[in-house]
Structure formats: structure tokens, C-alpha cells
Amino acid sequence: MKIEFEGEALEARPGESLAATLTAHGIRSFRTTERGAERGVFCGMGVCQDCLVEVDGKPNQRACTVKVDRPMKVRREGSGRAPAASGPAAGRPPITIEEIPVERPQVLVVGAGPGGLAAAYAARLAGAEVLVLDEGSAPGGQYFKQCSAAGVAPPDAQHQEGRRLIDDVLGSGVTVRSNASVWGAFRPLEFAATKPGGSFLVQPEQAIIATGAFDRGWPVPGWTLPGVMTTGAAQTLWRTARRLPGKRVLIAGNGPLNLQLAVELVAGGADVVAVVEAAPAVGVRRVREIAAMLANAPRLVADGVRYLSTCRRAGVRLINGSVLTSVVPHSGGLRATIAGRETASFDVDVVCLGYGFHPSNELLRALGCEHAFDPEQRRLVTVRDTRGKTSVDGVWALGDCTTLGGARVGQAEGTLAGFAAARALGCALSAEAVRLEAQAAADTARHRRFQRALWRMYRMDESLRVRPTGDTVMCRCEEVTYGQVEAALAEGATSPSEIKQETRLGMGRCQARYCGPALETFLAEQTGRSQDETSGFAPRVPVKPVSVGDLSNPAGA
Amino acid sequence: MHSPTTSGPLPRDIQTVVVGGGILGLCVAGFLAEEGREVAIIDAGRPEGTTTNAGSLHVQMQSRFMRMHPDQVPALESGLHLYPKAVEFWFELQRHLDADFGLKASGGLMVAESREQLDFLAKKAERERSLGLDSKILDRDELDQIAPYLGPAVVGAELCADEGRLDALKANTALRRWVRRVGVMVTGETSVDRVSRDGGRFKLDTSRGTVRAATLVIAAGPGSLTLAEPFGLTLPVESEPLHMNITEPTDLFIGHLVQHADRMITVKQLSSGHVVIGGGWPADLSPSEDYAAVRLSSIIGNTSLAQHIVPAIGRLRIIRTWAGINTPTGGPGILGPIHGAPNAFLAIPGEAGYTLGPLSARLVADTVLGRRPTEDLAPFSPSRFR
């Protein structure tokens, strides 16, 4: 299939994302910001809103979520195009909320990752009527995302495991709706969503929130440059389309996902120059953690050992106790500098950042679910019981959107929450269901133990955190630097809201997902104030940008 | 965003205290401090309590309101002359502070979808002209010349030349910096529970202790009701939670403040390219009544109406909504000295309070300073509510 980018014809794989097509042709800069900065793929999952392009005359389309399913004309974007020139001649007739269709499933599951799918399956098995809404173009979430591009290598074990779960769910009579963005949650229990071309509401009896997490930012000079992307973004390019983010790649971060990416990119033929891990090298002192991990998930430990040996065989340098400190453009590519135990520079095409995740808890917070602040991880944790019950009646939460635990924990917690929600409806569990529930409880505990040991091993030295320079961008959308925030503080602003008003930080399309946590950390350092569950930005609807045209169009009409 | 941690030290004894740090409170305090007064602002620090304004500069009368409440039209007309002056004063203040408020007074359009609506606007425009406003009626062809962004449903509009918009974030930031610069003490997260006389001074019981002051200015929006009670006043102020939406930025294409002859809506584009959609759609008060929460039906109804009038908005995405508390007074504002209570003043601007804010504050500040204000404040006297 052929698409057109700025008048040039490009070969595309049907089913892949537009970002994958452009990346495969070496195109990394997709648009220019208001201040003249170049931007491209960063998060690769529809969160950062940096990869906006114009598709067939429609502005502000996220290249990472647009599927190439037809020949299309794509153009780079400035800060935004005049919709007066390209907009529709007539609007739709004005509507009121009464005209928006309402669905009333017994159980609504938001998110079709491992946890959401497991929850849907369990609730259905117990006899409940279940609707799953997911913003992706196909179920699977981040961990079980399927290969969507036609004519590429066969699925690997992780793909296949996900496929089995997806097929089980679809075969069980659960309704799974992809491309459905839940943009708002309202008390007591109402959800507002759009699907392509239409708006609808869901008023479930029970709601299970399984919205996962997104990669944290790593604000250092140059982190907004095209070619600097999250580990998740690079992995999505590879796992959904078998496209490499670039030829020469540096991976920097904290955690085992970075190693998995290195192995995948090496298999695809990339030259991964190094994996720079913030945690110190694993030594004999870690024998307790390794024993705990082996006892709880020996297969995952074996995977880890395999990743390490593959990297060594491929000549990938494994550097521990060091972090990325800056990226600058350099002879058509990037020059990335690291510091810590080792100081070095690498000339590469692409830098992948994998410094952990932030929970997507916006819907839970909008519903008023209680959260606590985890000072060590510097993020909110949803308060729930062992079955995922939150402080709000009828709202269940599981997996990475509550507190990070990875796909295995999410899947096991999903089974528990699915059964629990069905019980709340009055469904009786069969003997088989009771057995699965007990198994899931054991799995949850086992994988939590594994995760605790894993992250003790991967704990990074806090002194390695980079002190950003004044010209480092804190807010990607509104292009606000650390220097501007410092200036606002010097002018007398003291609270996040005053800084927001003075600088426009946090007011852009990504809705403060990257700069919010960065500002919190920065303020805590600058003012010595400790963070708690009330600091930072309160959740606002829409939790994802929502098109006025879609809002004004009742679904199905 | 949660409430600020701006609680500075609470003054114990001060010359002048201003209760409320909204547009009125900030400006009154700034003007007084510029004249050498020692001034403190005490604000309850409500989350989003001061963000009702979305940057519209209103001048013309609301035809929808006139049709619903014809009995209140005389009251509306009695205060109308203040509006163009208030817009002019915004520009003066911008020059005075050497700041950029993102001000633009390129006119406001009140659009009609039917002959009948347009006829009503024509009568309204005639009446407004007789009261000194620059208003005229445009037919569809004339509209196409100046506002090609309007949809086909619009048959004509009233253009009021004095209307416009500003960027409230920029303005509020500049004002906050100004009051700090001229030495105003600003204390947030502190509610004033009771005001009483203590000898020749006022005694304010606050959530953080007692404050004494020689002069008291009440600029607390709906909170003014209980503060004014000890002076024998029953103010007709209400809490009106209102809903607002803002789109992602795009190239500038909407040049006017756009309103509708018969429906609640304002549409304008800020200098930053964001389109703000508001105009009086309801929000909800929290159970504690101290902050407002957005309402789903307003998001849908308000934005859907916006794309009907300006179709290109259908292409844009809403990136944020918020709610604020408006303070209707059932007529003109409440400005000036409280008779029988020397050195106590009220500063509540009335309809389109943000537009009227700085000028109203100037007038109140002048009375506090013992000067003759540039406008006759009799129609705005607090004594109306004794």
C-alpha cells in the first residue's frame, strides 16, 4: 500500500500505524511547534500528543494511533492549521445530552489489556453481561498488543499468549469495543465515551477500571527531540508492525523492559549500542532477591537471563549505575550523553527512555476514589481491598492504573475483580469459578512477591537523578522550561496552580501527564515541602482530548 | 489543581484589609497600595473560586435575558454606560502596568438564526445606540465579509464595536505580580468567619486567628452575603456555578466575541489560539458549596451549540473544562461605602463582573481614599439593601 507524505509516495504495510510507516522511511520529525521546535513520536500510545499530523485534510491526528488502512495524504503540522480554511461548511444541529444513547451493561470494563481482559472473562464466566471499552485499535493493551501489520514475521510467544486470552474473552460472549475512548467519568457512576464519529454514555451497575500506565518522562536537555522516544513507543513499533525505530539505538532507563526491547531490536537487525541501566549491577548481595524471584516466577527469571546473554552475544554494552543526561542533534542523528558510574557519549539515530511508569488513574480520581501517596515511587496509589474494591460503591480497580505491578499482577487481579464485581451483582460462582478465583489470589500474591524482589534489585541510586538545566523543557505541550518555572517561583508564585497560571505549564494537550509529576518533584526539591495525596494537579475531564464533532454526534445516528 | 499553599503570615493589625482576592479584591488592593496605603488581602483560597471569567469583554445587553426578564431591562440599562468605559479601563490598566493582557476589542457579534431574533436585535441595537453604545445590525452578506467562520444557520447579527476578549491567565498573573510589587500582603486559604466592630477598628475572626483593621473592603463575591449582615445589609448575591470549555490551539480565525440572540453561549479565540466556549451553562456546587464541578450535560450542550454556530470548531478537540462561581446581583453592582458603618466598603461588580472588575475597583478605591469617583455611584449604593 502507498501513502503520501508531503507529496512523496511511501510504501506502507497495511494495518500498521502511520507512525510506523513514517519511522520506517527514516522520517522522525512530524511537526514543528509554535516555538519552532521539531517533534515526532514520543510515547507511541496516544498520550503525549506530540506526533500530530494532518491526515486527508484533518488536523491534529496522532500518527501513533492512525491505522494505515487506505491510501492517505499526510502532511506535517505547524502549531495548528486554520480550520476555517479546511473545516466543514456546516455544523451538526445542536444537541442535548438526552439525544446521546445510553448503554446500561451490568459490568463495564475500561481497558482491554491483560487485566481488563481477565476481569471481563471472569465476570462473564460468573454470568454477568459485560461491555469492554478500549481506546486501542485492537484488544491486548500494551503488553498483549498484537501484530497489526500484514505480511510480517509470525507472532512470538507473548503475542500468542495474548491472542489466546483475547480469543477466550471474545468467545465467552463479552462485547469488546475497540477505538472507544472513555473521556470522562462522573459521579455517581456514569461514563462518557466516543467511538469514531459518535458519542455515547455508559451507566453500568458495576465498573472495573483497568486503564494501565504510561511511560514516565525523563526531562533532560534534548528529551523532546525527534528520535527520542519511550521504550514503550519503540516496543510498539516493533511488536505491532515489526518496524525498527532506527538503525543505531541507545536504550537508557530503569528496569527489565529495557533489556527485552534491546533483545527485540537486535533480533530485528538494529545496532543497539548500549543499554544504560540506572540501578547498580546485580551482585552477590542480591542473592536474597534472586532467590525470591526464582521461587515466585522462575520463567520470568529465565527470560531475564536469556535477555542478558543475547545482549552480550550481540555486543550490546550493558552499563549499570548510569543515566542519560542530555541529547543533542548531531550530524543528522543524535548524540546522547550518560553520566554516573560511567560517563560517555553515543552517536545514534534513536534514544529510548524507559524510566518507569505512571499510573493512568484519571477516571478513578474523577469518580472520587480514595488515593494515597507513595513517597518512594512519588505517585498515587488507589486505595482498594484485596478484590479491587475502591472507596466508591460499584467501582473496582486493578493492575497498573492502581499501583505498578506489571502484566502478570494485572491479569491475576483482573480475575479477582471480575469475579468480585459479578458477586456484587448477585451472580453465584460455579465450583470452577471458585477454583479460578483461588488460583488468581495465589497468583496475585506470588507475582507481587516477585515484583517486590525485582524492584529491590532494580532500585536506582536517587543521587543519579539529573538536575535539569534552566533551558530543559518541563512541559512538552506548552514548551515551558525549568528556567521559566524557577522565574515564576522567584516572582512569588508558590503553588502549582499559580505556576500553571503564570507559565501555562500543564495546560496543553497531554493534560500535564509528563510535566505534572516533574513539577511536583521540582517543587518538593525547591521548597522542601513534602508531597502528599492532595498535591499536584486535580483530574479534569476530558481525561483525553475529545473532538467537538464527535461529542455533537450521537453514536449510531 | 488543588488549593494553593499561599498562606503567608496573617497580619494582626493593619490599616486596610480587603476580603477576597478575585478581580475586584486584587485591583482595589493594588490601587490603594499605590497610594501608600498598607493593605492586606485575605482570601478563602477556594479551589477555582476565582476562575469564572473566561476572558470575555461584555458590553451589549443579553437579548436572551431581556426576553426572559423584560421587567429587569430598566435596571440593566441604568448600568449600561459603565461597560464601554470598563473595557477602555482594561486597556488603561494594561498600559499602566506595562503588561500584556492579550486584550483585543475587535467587536462582539450576537448572532440570530431567524428573522424574528434579528428583529429583536435591531430594536435592542437602536436602544443601545441611544444609550451611547456603538451597535449595528449586519445581514448575512455583511457578516460574510467580517466573520466568514459563521455557519449557514446564522441569518444576521448585531455587532457591538466595543466588545472583545482578553487572556484572563495573562491578566491575572500580571495583576498578582503588580499587587505584590506595590506591597500588598496576600494571604490565601484563610476564611473570614465573622466581622465586628472593636472600638474604632474592625475585628475579623478568621480560620487562622484575629485580624484588626481601620478600613474594611468586602470583595468576596457570594461570600459577601454573610460578611455584610452585621452591617444590616441583606445582599441579593447568589452563587452561580458556571461551566467552561477550551479547545486545543489553532491558527487565529475567530475575530470576535460571539454570542447568540436566544441561547446561552459565548465563543472567542484567545491570542494563544485556544477557543473558549462558555456563556452561562450550569455547573454543580460541591456538597460543601465551596467549589464548582463541571457537568456532563453542559459539556455536550455547550460545545455542540458552538460547532453549530462556528462549524470549524467541530474539527477541534476539547482539552479542558472547568467550573467557577459567578456572583449575580440581580441588577447593577454593589459598590461603595456602607452607610452607617464608617470605613466599611463593598465591591461586587454585578453582571459580567470580570469586564467591570478593574473600573469598579477604581471607583471603590477612590471612595476609600476620600476622592470623588469618576462615576456617580448612587445607582450602585449598598444602601439599596438595608
Side-chain angles (χ1 to χ4, degrees), chain A residues 184-187 191 209 211 214 358-373 379-383 390-392 395 397 401-402 511-513 516-517 520 532-541 543, chain B residues 1-2 291:
Chain A
F186 299 83
R187 297 180 212 195
F191 296 83
I209 309 299
T211 40
F214 60 95
H358 216 78
S360 294
N361 53 21
E362 302 85 9
L363 294 174
L364 291 167
R365 294 173 70 202
L367 286 168
C369 296
E370 196 184 322
H371 283 76
F373 187 76
R379 58 196 163 207
L380 291 174
V381 175
T382 312
V383 176
T390 69
S391 63
V392 174
V395 181
C401 70
T402 64
Q511 301 162 314
R513 280 182 172 79
E520 280 289 282
D532 61 26
E533 61 278 4
T534 64
S535 46
F537 295 91
R540 288 259 179 87
V541 291
V543 302
Chain B
M1 181 74 66
H2 281 268
Y291 68 92

Side-chain angles (χ1 to χ4, degrees), chain A residues 2-89:
Chain A
K2 280 211 164 28
I3 66 157
E4 199 184 299
F5 181 73
E6 292 288 317
E8 191 192 340
L10 304 178
E11 197 65 47
R13 291 173 180 160
E16 72 181 348
S17 73
L18 184 51
T21 308
L22 297 180
T23 303
H25 289 86
I27 297 162
R28 299 219 169 76
S29 172
F30 293 5
R31 79 182 171 105
T32 308
T33 67
E34 201 159 327
R35 301 219 178 132
E38 304 289 300
R39 294 288 170 84
V41 173
F42 179 66
C43 77
M45 57 185 291
V47 171
C48 76
Q49 310 275 334
D50 252 335
C51 64
L52 301 180
V53 289
E54 186 188 286
V55 179
D56 293 333
K58 221 174 154 190
N60 299 334
Q61 302 299 299
R62 289 167 291 178
C64 70
T65 59
V66 173
K67 205 171 179 168
V68 179
D69 51 7
R70 62 186 190 281
M72 46 180 69
K73 278 194 174 152
V74 183
R75 293 181 58 189
R76 287 173 48 84
E77 265 198 10
S79 55
R81 293 182 181 280
S86 58

Side-chain angles (χ1 to χ4, degrees), chain A residues 397-547:
Chain A
L398 61 92
D400 284 354
C401 70
T402 64
T403 182
L404 298 188
R408 309 281 156 189
V409 168
Q411 202 173 335
E413 286 186 352
T415 300
L416 293 179
F419 283 132
R423 280 184 204 269
L425 289 167
C427 297
L429 265 56
S430 66
E432 170 65 2
V434 170
R435 192 190 63 77
L436 287 174
E437 193 180 34
Q439 180 63 49
D443 285 349
T444 302
R446 191 162 60 83
H447 283 293
R448 285 270 179 221
R449 282 196 296 273
F450 174 84
Q451 287 283 326
R452 274 197 297 276
L454 176 76
W455 287 107
R456 271 202 303 276
M457 211 168 74
Y458 269 103
R459 183 172 295 162
M460 71 175 274
D461 179 356
E462 286 295 316
S463 69
L464 284 175
R465 291 208 177 275
V466 180
R467 265 202 86 74
T469 55
D471 56 0
T472 305
V473 170
M474 184 187 288
C475 170
R476 300 176 65 96
C477 302
E478 296 287 338
E479 305 187 83
V480 181
T481 63
Y482 277 79
Q484 284 171 273
V485 173
E486 255 171 339
L489 287 170
E491 277 281 352
T494 53
S495 65
S497 67
E498 281 185 335
I499 289 164
K500 181 174 169 179
Q501 289 210 0
E502 298 230 358
T503 64
R504 298 196 58 85
L505 176 134
M507 305 193 81
R509 293 182 175 101
C510 93
Q511 301 162 314
R513 280 182 172 79
Y514 298 98
C515 66
L519 175 65
E520 280 289 282
T521 306
F522 187 67
L523 277 183
E525 285 166 8
Q526 294 286 309
T527 64
R529 262 201 318 265
S530 59
Q531 291 171 253
D532 61 26
E533 61 278 4
T534 64
S535 46
F537 295 91
R540 288 259 179 87
V541 291
V543 302
K544 288 279 171 80
V546 57
S547 128

Side-chain angles (χ1 to χ4, degrees), chain A residues 75 89 146 218 223 295 312 334 399 425 451:
Chain A
R75 293 181 58 189
Q146 300 292 298
W218 184 252
W223 75 299
R312 290 206 177 93
L334 301 168
L425 289 167
Q451 287 283 326

